[in-house]
Amino acid sequence: MCQNCEPGLGLWADWILKDLDVSEIVEQTKAPAQELPTTDSQPLVFHNGVILTMREGNIVCAGTLAEALAAAGGSGYRDIDLQGRCVLPGFIEPHVHIVFTALTNWLLKLSPSLVTTVTQALQVLHGAVSKQPSGSWVTGYGYDPSRIVAEATYPAHTELTLDILDPVSTLDPIFIVNQSGHVAYVNSKALDLAGVTDKNANPTEFQKIDGKLTGVVYEQGLAKFASLTPRPSLVEILELCHKTLVQWAAAGCTTVFDAGIGVTNNKELLLLIATNLIGAPMRLHGAYSVHLLTDQAPLIPVPRPPVTLFGINITAVKFWADGSTQGFTAALNQPYSSDMPLGMPPCGTLNYADDDDLFKVMKPWYETGSNLVQALNVYETLLHSTPAPALPPSGLHRIDHFTLRDTAQIARAQALGLGISHTIGHVRYWGETFVDYVLGPARGGSVDPLHSDENAGVVWSLHSDSPVTDVAPLSYLQTATTRLTSQHQKVYDPEERVDLPTALRGVTINPARQIGIDALAGTLEVGKAADLVVLDQDPRSVHLAELNQLKVLQTWVAGCLKFDSTQSTQ
């Protein structure tokens, strides 16, 4: 069975939700669910702009304004003059963690977009200490040593060890979760409160140098500190969840797929149900975490996928094979760079004893027709040795992240009919870091191989893995077409660039196919839902390096306006 499946960030989230009173939500689940409206009350006529259908051929009734008005019935329609702007199918984000993202928004921000030096991190921490009562916890998220640049006092890739955090405060315990969610940093006060010492610290959970703790914590070790930190209330959590979805609607997303519902506990599912009942501004889809399906005391019944629970379409089961490449916790066939942090396994950590162990866990869910999100070797065994389920799943079995390029593995995935989804932020935010620090020059230039996927005929998509990176489909397009890194605007692995029409498929119809909604969304055509995004310009009219500067003006779901940039509140 899984030896280390729950990522460190999940352990912290589990503590947040552990004693949360969700009885009111449980009662809500006993009432009839409110369905998403199927359309606006009026016909909508979009005209005087560019409409990219994302399919070959013409959209039915596209033509003169008179023809469109006739199709709308001639009266009683809502006239939407695009004024030269551009309409696209709504963006589909196939891998996020909604509750995790919401909870990290409650923490002190130290993400790479804000912090790229140790000095900047210390400024944020000193500022937090100065604003709170003495002895209070300082909890943060997002610090990433792999993105830290050198300065006079500190070298590049410096971790927040005891010698750095202790001078910030000896009275306030500090607990900072790494951007990957698999590593954390604590000061001596936090170690004291958790009762962790040089003698009793588990070496698989705590980094030691010459037998001494450094303040760097791995995976399961995070639980010892998470259980001591303050927690937001139910109302605060629901507000954070709703705010998170509103931000994603403002990025043009009309569907998001939560890739691991319930990795913490059953309450995570209830929070998503409550958020949807309150009024999610998009379609919610997802995969159960395998943890949720083995919960011996669920708060509400958890039917096997595929199933729709209060408007949330759950079609898959998620298994965690390992951690993150940039956090040195992903399991690799060859060792990481020699510059990797001390005390970490040279090839990362596999969460299962071996492929046979993972196969035994995945097999029952494959046989019942659930989509699976996991590893190539096990899929090969499943698909070749196990009879196909009586009711085949909608969508595709898939491998998410698939970070390092290996043409043989891509060919195997294509032959098995698997989908691949990439955290394209690996290129944008970590491209140079992979080459210079994490993987070395030989392998660091072979990340997120979109062009290779396309040539092999794989159905691939782009995602954020939020909260690891921000949900920003326009940024995905810029990175996919240019392979520009954010640090020095270098072109990274240029042969893996794709053209704009191909990149657009990676945020529309391809993820729709992967999660099984391509008959509903992903293109604009008769018979499909009116899920669309309005941009200020046609993406084809701007330089590829400026695609991330396009502005989302409106987001529509099922013909209902969910985001309007002219409104101050949504």
Side-chain angles (χ1 to χ4, degrees), residues 445-493:
S446 303
V447 169
D448 295 329
L450 307 186
H451 191 265
S452 297
D453 289 350
E454 186 69 15
N455 281 349
V458 171
V459 178
W460 57 270
S461 65
L462 305 173
H463 70 255
S464 64
D465 196 15
S466 180
V468 175
T469 67
D470 292 335
V471 171
L474 292 171
S475 177
Y476 310 165
L477 294 178
Q478 186 231 33
T479 305
T481 55
T482 66
R483 306 285 290 193
L484 283 171
T485 64
S486 62
Q487 190 170 354
H488 296 116
Q489 292 292 289
K490 291 183 179 179
V491 176
Y492 173 85
D493 201 11

Side-chain angles (χ1 to χ4, degrees), residues 7 9-10 12-13 97-105 263-264 268 466-467:
L9 184 61
W12 173 76
H97 301 282
I98 297 171
V99 175
F100 278 11
T101 302
L103 291 176
T104 58
N105 287 332
V263 65
T264 52
E268 187 182 338
S466 180

Side-chain angles (χ1 to χ4, degrees), residues 394-417:
S394 61
L396 304 176
H397 299 303
R398 73 181 204 233
I399 304 172
D400 280 18
H401 309 315
F402 207 85
T403 306
L404 293 180
R405 178 179 63 202
D406 184 317
T407 53
Q409 290 177 336
I410 294 172
R412 288 167 61 196
Q414 192 279 333
L416 293 170

Side-chain angles (χ1 to χ4, degrees), residues 62 89 113 261 276 316 434:
S113 61
I261 299 170
N276 206 38
F434 280 150

Side-chain angles (χ1 to χ4, degrees), residues 317-398:
V317 180
K318 166 73 176 290
F319 300 83
W320 271 265
D322 54 5
S324 72
T325 311
Q326 64 271 22
F328 296 92
T329 54
L332 303 182
N333 291 324
Q334 301 175 34
Y336 285 92
S337 164
S338 58
D339 295 327
M340 69 182 296
L342 293 173
M344 300 194 74
C347 293
T349 303
L350 188 65
N351 289 336
Y352 291 83
D354 50 34
D355 288 343
D356 288 340
D357 191 23
L358 180 54
F359 170 82
K360 292 173 185 176
V361 178
M362 292 176 64
K363 184 173 182 286
W365 304 107
Y366 171 77
E367 292 174 333
T368 60
S370 298
N371 273 323
L372 306 177
V373 183
Q374 201 29 255
L376 181 60
N377 288 348
V378 179
Y379 278 132
E380 210 157 37
T381 305
L382 275 173
L383 296 173
H384 286 162
S385 67
T386 307
L391 181 63
S394 61
L396 304 176
H397 299 303
R398 73 181 204 233

Side-chain angles (χ1 to χ4, degrees), residues 182-220:
H182 297 269
V183 181
Y185 312 98
V186 297
N187 65 350
S188 292
K189 183 63 175 179
L191 288 169
D192 291 343
L193 292 176
V196 178
T197 67
D198 294 335
K199 291 184 178 180
N200 67 19
N202 185 333
T204 66
E205 298 176 355
F206 295 90
Q207 184 188 77
K208 292 183 182 181
I209 297 179
D210 297 328
K212 298 291 185 181
L213 291 167
T214 66
V216 180
V217 187
Y218 304 130
E219 297 290 9
Q220 300 288 318

